Amino acid sequence: MTKVALIDDHSLIRNALGELISRFDDYEVTHQASNGKEFISSLDADNLPDIALIDINMPVMDGFQTAETVSKEFPSIKIMALSVEDEEESIIKMLRCGAKGYLLKDSDTQDLRLALDELNSKGYYHSDLVANTLLSSLNGNKKAVKVSQINYQAREFEFLQMACSELTYKEIADRMCISPRTVDGYRENLFYKLDVKSRVGMVLFAIKNGIVEV
């Protein structure tokens, strides 16, 4: 049985998810907690969950802090972010904190089952939210773009590294001492050169190719 942990401060959601997952073959909910601190303090090295579904917005210790701590101290646990937010910044931050998947709370039951299965078998799950083209690339269905084949400009490479942080595009423009319009130009150029369609795409490309480290 694959052991699943549920970390969410809303008990109704947590209990409903637990009941749903318990109906799936080969899955059992072994841990429940209302925040990250409670979850981490309950962990026993001899009885760790295989997967942890972690809500982003929680009191005491939020999902970002929880994911970062768990990925460092218990790297065998596969982390799935669970949220009502679909903003790129939240997705990027959770990926950088160690999450291997990102699932919206209003997803269908089939999507939840698929997410658990892929996280369990492949080690990651990226929904349509993280972009269909990226999922195809990660599954090897798309010709990979090699770093050595990309004709970066020095400033474009600098922008790419900053885009893999929590900075907004305006903050990046300020740090690079350029106009927001110039930042827009760098972004569009990199979208074309890397064959991606979003900031998330740039970040995943950079992580996969060692340009930035998670």
Side-chain angles (χ1 to χ4, degrees):
M1 297 288 283
T2 298
K3 294 178 286 188
V4 179
L6 300 176
I7 304 92
D8 193 309
D9 61 317
H10 294 97
S11 58
L12 285 177
I13 293 177
R14 197 172 65 243
N15 292 335
L17 272 174
E19 184 176 344
L20 181 61
I21 291 172
S22 67
R23 297 176 186 172
F24 296 158
D25 295 335
D26 303 325
Y27 289 96
E28 62 174 339
V29 176
T30 57
H31 298 71
Q32 290 198 39
S34 60
N35 60 69
K37 184 176 181 179
E38 179 184 332
F39 171 59
I40 292 169
S41 65
S42 72
L43 290 176
D44 178 354
D46 295 325
N47 185 33
L48 294 176
D50 301 296
I51 295 173
L53 300 184
I54 301 177
D55 184 24
I56 289 181
N57 297 312
M58 297 183 292
V60 185
M61 181 183 284
D62 64 21
F64 302 115
Q65 296 172 299
T66 305
E68 187 172 31
T69 301
V70 170
S71 63
K72 288 179 179 178
E73 298 185 7
F74 305 96
S76 65
I77 300 176
K78 303 179 186 72
I79 299 169
M80 173 79 73
L82 200 61
S83 180
V84 295
E85 300 178 8
D86 60 358
E87 290 86 359
E88 285 188 356
E89 287 76 11
S90 295
I91 299 171
I92 292 169
K93 188 172 181 179
M94 281 302 290
L95 290 174
R96 288 182 61 83
C97 286
K100 303 303 182 183
Y102 196 100
L103 192 68
L104 292 178
K105 288 187 176 181
D106 63 355
S107 298
D108 294 335
T109 301
Q110 296 89 334
D111 292 331
L112 173 61
R113 178 60 195 257
L114 176 64
L116 292 173
D117 287 347
E118 294 208 355
L119 194 61
N120 195 31
S121 62
K122 298 180 181 179
Y124 67 86
Y125 170 74
H126 295 306
S127 64
D128 290 344
L129 179 64
V130 186
N132 287 325
T133 54
L134 296 176
L135 182 57
S136 296
S137 176
L138 288 169
N139 285 335
N141 297 325
K142 183 177 177 181
K143 186 177 181 181
V145 179
K146 296 182 179 179
V147 175
S148 60
Q149 296 175 337
I150 299 172
N151 183 25
Y152 292 110
Q153 294 179 13
R155 296 289 272 172
E156 286 178 348
F157 190 79
E158 182 181 355
F159 166 76
L160 175 58
Q161 291 177 308
M162 289 190 181
C164 296
S165 71
E166 299 173 37
L167 296 172
T168 65
Y169 287 136
K170 184 180 184 303
E171 290 170 338
I172 292 173
D174 292 339
R175 291 204 180 188
M176 295 181 69
C177 299
I178 55 179
S179 69
R181 181 172 295 181
T182 302
V183 161
D184 290 342
Y186 289 158
R187 183 185 67 238
E188 294 306 315
N189 288 344
L190 285 170
F191 280 5
Y192 175 76
K193 291 179 179 181
L194 306 183
D195 195 18
V196 299
K197 296 183 178 180
S198 68
R199 184 172 182 175
V200 174
M202 289 194 296
V203 172
L204 290 177
F205 177 89
I207 291 172
K208 284 176 61 183
N209 290 282
I211 296 172
V212 296
E213 294 183 359
V214 177

